[in-house]
Amino acid sequence: MHTHNLSITTVEELIPLLKNSKIKDNKSLLIQVFCGILQTPFIYELRSLLKGRFPNAALIGATTDGEICEGRVLNHECIISLTQFESVVPVVAAIRGEDSYAIGKTIGSRLIDDSTRALILFGAGIKQDGEAIVRGIEEISDTVIVAGGLAGDDGRFKEPVAFTYDDFVQNGVVGVALGSDRLRIITDYSFEWELLGRPMGVTRAEGNRLYTIDGVPVAQVYGRYFGEKMAAEIPRSTVEFPFMIDRNGLQIARAPVALHPDGSVTLAGSIRVGDRVCFGFGNPENILDPSQMLSQRMEEEMESIFVFSSMARRRFMPELIENEILPLQSLAPTSGFFTYGEFFHVPGSNEMLNQSMTMIAMSESEKKNRRSSRLPVRDESGFSKTLKSLTRFANSALDEMEKMNTSLEEKVLLRTQELQKLNDELEERIAEQVVQNREKDQILFEQSRMAAMGEMISSIAHQWRQPLNALSLTIVNLRDAYDFQTLDDDKMEKFSVKSQRLIQKMSTTIDDFRNFFIADKEKKSFSPAAVIRETVALIDASLKYHSIELDLELDTPEELYGYPGEFSQALLNLIANSRDVLIEKRSLSPKISITVQSRMETMEITISDNGGGIADAVLPKIFDPYFTTKEQGKGTGIGLYMTKMILEDHMGGKITAHNTHEGAQFVIILPHPKGK
């Protein structure tokens, strides 16, 4: 077998190259296209040209994150690798879909037979799970070598594609099967990424979607250790710091290829709940150590070499990466591409790697050992020594922190036991305190009632002032009539009727106020509109005396369920507060508005005034017990506290306060009987 590698930037460049290559069309010809030109029309035109020239050949191709041709590292070019086999007849297949495991199983069943030695696969689409693909293939065979990788798209992480002559796959896989008794295959890989930091646990993952590590979204984990800027630029920013996992004794990486709004990431391969992961980082001097290069480990002569290397390696050391690949060209024609994930075979299974350089070397000639040209292990440079020292320092510090953490956990456990004992004692004290608080609340309630009684006495004075004045005037008129001897039976009758009417009005006032102070013994349904009117009647004289306009909008037939007397007391507190503010501010057109609106399951009652509102610094405190803004001796500071207690604790409602453009507004939300 032999391989001829061509590099082009336009389709027209390929025509004379093919003419000079003397390659003929036949079924044993495999064409691999590693395309760094991410233009669909270019790929279609290229396929058409190749199919016209080599209709019987097998073709697979993929877009890339960099190309390899004759050992050289290129970018934004297209490599056509033509391999002429002698005994192998390549078989091609393409599978589309989103279930990576099913894709692997299907392409395995189509391509693998008893003669199959190896599959070269190119995965397409950001969401493909490379590990699930190889697990699906292993359902068909776990001895067939799987090589290749996931297609790239120049670090855009949007739409890498793969293709054959007849298929253009945006989500799925294309592959070629190679089989022959004469075909010799060697696979190898280079990793050389080092562990960094403490082990962490995967706490939520599904396939290749990683959600949380130690209960924290992945983006936040990156942000915590490497900064928010790096977290915001996932996946481009994290190629140098993948997650490291142990898989069957093989240290592999898992690098993000997509970031999701919830802080989770899509990886190139699967990850499982319970996996222990560390961050990894690359040391260029270790990666490029001549004694560790693949070219130094190959002991047999081979005829063709295909390299599938991680895009992270090229981007991590762009000026040096060719030093890792070029030595292979001295062994055999070398081509390939930089991937978003690399397929690699180990005895008994295949794996999906990241941050690795993988190689598959092939030959159909007899086995020959090549001369050893191993280089001596070089001395580490100062940079490498410093980096390793810093790594050892960081990991030693982490070990010490783990020991300290264990000690702290023991101390915390002991302290927790002590706190539990204290907590048990506190529960008893709290129970006692609750009883005392209830007693205090009852005292506050009684104090509120007494304050309301004072308000009522003041209101009675206002209510009685007019009839007392009228009665006094009537008596004066009676006296004058007597003195001037004009008193007759008719005047005496009018005096008696008028006096009785005035006295009856005063008696009714006393009854109204006495009913206000009768405590509610049990909850019952009542009309809020009726209670509001009755409450307003108690303070109406005071409002009129101070020329305060009262606007009522109470048109609702709905009822409430609770304590009407307590509800009335709460309303009286709110109305009296608004009245006092309007008197203090001496508003030009003082006004109090009360509205009732029925909702689906609640009733909304608003009480507002045009007194200028409540100071922002005071507003959050107005419902606190004993808080008042009135002068000493003019306010107890318990009115609004008891109002809140009545409406929320006793009636299951809610009261809030805020400012409007005119003044303060209190909003009461209470449940309907059907909404309880």
Side-chain angles (χ1 to χ4, degrees):
M1 64 178 288
H2 63 273
T3 296
H4 191 50
N5 298 314
L6 305 174
S7 173
I8 63 171
T9 56
T10 66
V11 175
E12 288 75 14
E13 294 176 13
L14 182 60
I15 297 173
L17 294 175
L18 291 177
K19 287 182 179 179
N20 296 331
S21 69
K22 298 181 181 180
I23 298 175
K24 296 181 180 180
D25 178 40
N26 63 89
K27 292 184 178 180
S28 291
L29 178 62
L30 171 63
I31 304 174
Q32 296 182 77
V33 179
F34 312 123
C35 189
I37 301 172
L38 308 179
Q39 300 171 10
T40 301
F42 175 88
I43 296 174
Y44 273 80
E45 185 180 359
L46 177 64
R47 287 194 314 176
S48 178
L49 175 62
L50 291 171
K51 188 173 184 179
R53 178 69 184 270
F54 307 110
N56 292 304
L59 180 142
I60 61 171
T63 54
T64 74
D65 192 70
E67 305 80 55
I68 300 166
C69 182
E70 301 293 287
R72 293 179 298 113
V73 174
L74 306 173
N75 198 20
H76 303 143
E77 296 191 22
C78 183
I79 311 305
I80 296 93
S81 179
L82 302 104
T83 301
Q84 181 63 64
F85 290 99
E86 297 174 2
S87 60
V88 175
V89 178
V91 180
V92 169
I95 307 296
R96 293 181 177 84
E98 296 184 355
D99 185 336
S100 299
Y101 179 84
I103 288 172
K105 189 173 182 180
T106 302
I107 201 165
S109 64
R110 290 193 185 181
L111 292 180
I112 296 174
D113 59 27
D114 292 340
S115 66
T116 304
R117 297 288 312 285
L119 300 181
I120 298 178
L121 302 181
F122 300 154
I126 288 299
K127 295 182 179 180
Q128 286 300 331
D129 182 346
E131 184 172 343
I133 290 173
V134 296
R135 296 295 166 258
I137 291 172
E138 287 175 353
E139 285 291 309
I140 308 303
S141 172
D142 59 3
T143 59
V144 170
I145 294 169
V146 178
L150 302 181
D153 61 352
D154 197 31
R156 302 174 189 175
F157 296 98
K158 291 183 179 179
E159 196 173 79
V161 300
F163 50 90
T164 65
Y165 271 148
D166 302 316
D167 294 282
F168 188 84
V169 179
Q170 295 173 303
N171 197 13
V173 68
V174 303
V176 59
L178 307 174
S180 169
D181 292 339
R182 292 177 52 190
L183 183 64
R184 291 188 296 111
I185 298 174
I186 294 176
T187 62
D188 203 348
Y189 87 110
S190 176
F191 186 44
E192 303 302 331
W193 241 250
E194 298 185 21
L195 298 177
L196 177 66
R198 69 178 183 86
M200 300 173 286
V202 174
T203 47
R204 185 186 173 197
E206 296 176 9
N208 63 334
R209 181 82 172 264
L210 176 58
Y211 290 90
T212 61
I213 294 176
D214 289 342
V216 179
V218 180
Q220 291 186 25
V221 175
Y222 270 109
R224 177 191 299 170
Y225 289 101
F226 300 105
E228 295 301 325
K229 184 177 181 181
M230 174 179 279
E233 295 176 354
I234 295 171
R236 291 188 180 186
S237 62
T238 54
V239 294
E240 298 176 23
F241 300 100
F243 293 113
M244 307 283 284
I245 314 171
D246 186 280
R247 280 279 189 272
N248 303 318
L250 183 68
Q251 195 70 240
I252 63 174
R254 284 288 178 264
V257 295
L259 174 66
H260 302 282
D262 61 357
S264 65
V265 296
T266 295
L267 305 175
S270 299
I271 197 163
R272 304 157 194 161
V273 172
D275 277 344
R276 303 294 291 175
V277 299
C278 289
F279 286 114
F281 76 100
N283 182 344
E285 295 187 357
N286 285 351
I287 293 171
L288 299 177
D289 185 344
S291 66
Q292 300 301 317
M293 285 187 177
L294 301 187
S295 59
Q296 296 299 311
R297 299 207 293 258
M298 192 179 300
E299 298 179 349
E300 300 177 24
E301 291 185 359
M302 306 303 287
E303 294 175 304
S304 297
I305 297 175
F306 301 103
V307 172
F308 306 103
S309 184
S310 169
M311 56 90 71
R313 297 172 89 85
R314 183 180 75 85
R315 292 179 178 270
F316 178 46
M317 45 185 189
E319 305 300 327
L320 301 174
I321 188 62
E322 198 167 277
N323 295 342
E324 181 179 37
I325 300 170
L326 192 58
L328 294 172
Q329 179 65 25
S330 65
L331 306 180
T334 301
S335 61
F337 73 100
F338 291 92
T339 77
Y340 286 172
E342 307 80 55
F343 297 116
F344 184 70
H345 180 77
V346 295
S349 69
N350 291 286
E351 298 293 343
M352 165 53 56
L353 308 181
N354 287 133
Q355 268 67 16
S356 301
M357 185 181 86
T358 64
M359 174 203 74
I360 179 169
M362 293 182 282
S363 176
E364 288 180 295
S365 63
E366 292 183 4
K367 179 178 178 180
K368 293 181 180 180
N369 294 331
R370 73 182 187 90
R371 290 183 179 180
S372 175
S373 58
R374 292 183 181 274
L375 299 177
V377 178
R378 63 170 183 193
D379 291 336
E380 290 183 309
S381 71
F383 171 78
S384 180
K385 289 180 179 178
T386 300
L387 195 57
K388 287 187 175 181
S389 296
L390 287 173
T391 303
R392 283 194 293 269
F393 175 80
N395 289 331
S396 296
L398 284 168
D399 288 340
E400 291 178 7
M401 290 177 66
E402 288 291 339
K403 292 177 181 178
M404 290 175 62
N405 184 60
T406 301
S407 175
L408 283 173
E409 286 179 351
E410 294 174 353
K411 292 179 181 179
V412 167
L413 178 60
L414 179 61
R415 186 61 176 163
T416 300
Q417 293 172 346
E418 294 174 354
L419 288 173
Q420 183 60 48
K421 182 179 179 181
L422 287 173
N423 185 60
D424 294 339
E425 296 174 356
L426 281 173
E427 286 181 353
E428 296 178 3
R429 295 180 186 177
I430 289 171
E432 295 174 358
Q433 192 65 42
V434 167
V435 173
Q436 294 177 9
N437 287 342
R438 287 175 179 167
E439 293 175 353
K440 290 179 181 178
D441 285 343
Q442 184 61 35
I443 293 171
L444 283 174
F445 191 78
E446 294 301 326
Q447 288 177 339
S448 176
R449 298 285 287 182
M450 294 301 294
M453 185 177 294
E455 180 66 41
M456 291 301 96
I457 292 171
S458 176
S459 296
I460 290 172
H462 282 292
Q463 295 282 58
W464 277 13
R465 184 172 286 110
Q466 189 271 339
L468 283 172
N469 288 339
L471 187 60
S472 176
L473 183 60
T474 301
I475 293 172
V476 170
N477 290 337
L478 180 65
R479 179 68 185 182
D480 289 343
Y482 176 78
D483 289 341
F484 290 103
Q485 297 182 354
T486 58
L487 181 63
D488 54 22
D489 292 341
D490 182 56
K491 286 184 178 181
M492 193 65 188
E493 180 64 24
K494 289 181 179 180
F495 167 77
S496 177
V497 171
K498 186 175 182 180
S499 297
Q500 287 293 331
R501 185 171 65 251
L502 293 171
I503 292 170
Q504 182 60 42
K505 182 177 181 180
M506 295 169 68
S507 177
T508 301
T509 299
I510 291 295
D511 290 338
D512 290 341
F513 286 106
R514 183 179 59 189
N515 292 334
F516 174 81
F517 284 102
I518 296 176
D520 296 312
K521 294 183 178 180
E522 60 183 26
K523 289 185 176 182
K524 60 183 177 181
S525 296
F526 63 90
S527 167
V531 173
I532 290 172
R533 290 190 180 94
E534 292 170 1
T535 304
V536 166
L538 300 177
I539 200 171
D540 185 57
S542 177
L543 298 178
K544 289 180 178 178
Y545 179 80
H546 294 287
S547 301
I548 298 174
E549 179 185 352
L550 185 64
D551 182 22
L552 302 178
E553 295 183 17
L554 311 176
D555 297 331
T556 175
E558 300 286 349
E559 291 189 335
L560 291 173
Y561 184 78
Y563 302 102
E566 291 188 2
F567 179 61
S568 178
Q569 182 180 347
L571 291 172
L572 185 65
N573 287 336
L574 295 172
I575 297 170
N577 271 6
S578 291
R579 179 202 62 192
D580 294 344
V581 169
L582 292 170
I583 294 171
E584 180 184 350
K585 297 292 180 66
R586 298 182 179 180
S587 302
L588 294 178
S589 300
K591 181 179 179 180
I592 298 174
S593 299
I594 303 175
T595 63
V596 178
Q597 290 182 307
S598 184
R599 307 295 186 189
M600 290 293 293
E601 295 187 347
T602 61
M603 187 172 294
E604 181 178 296
I605 302 164
T606 62
I607 301 172
S608 54
D609 61 54
N610 60 350
I614 305 168
D616 291 340
V618 171
L619 191 58
K621 307 175 185 177
I622 60 174
F623 293 111
D624 293 348
Y626 300 112
F627 180 81
T628 180
T629 59
K630 296 178 181 179
E631 296 179 13
Q632 187 172 359
K634 292 186 177 181
T636 63
I638 60 175
L640 289 180
Y641 171 72
M642 291 310 304
T643 296
K644 183 179 179 69
M645 182 181 292
I646 289 169
L647 296 173
E648 296 188 356
D649 295 350
H650 296 189
M651 298 185 68
K654 183 73 176 177
I655 181 170
T656 58
H658 62 273
N659 290 320
T660 66
H661 66 283
E662 290 186 322
Q665 184 177 80
F666 290 84
V667 180
I668 302 169
I669 305 293
L670 294 170
H672 288 312
K674 62 183 179 183
K676 295 191 285 113

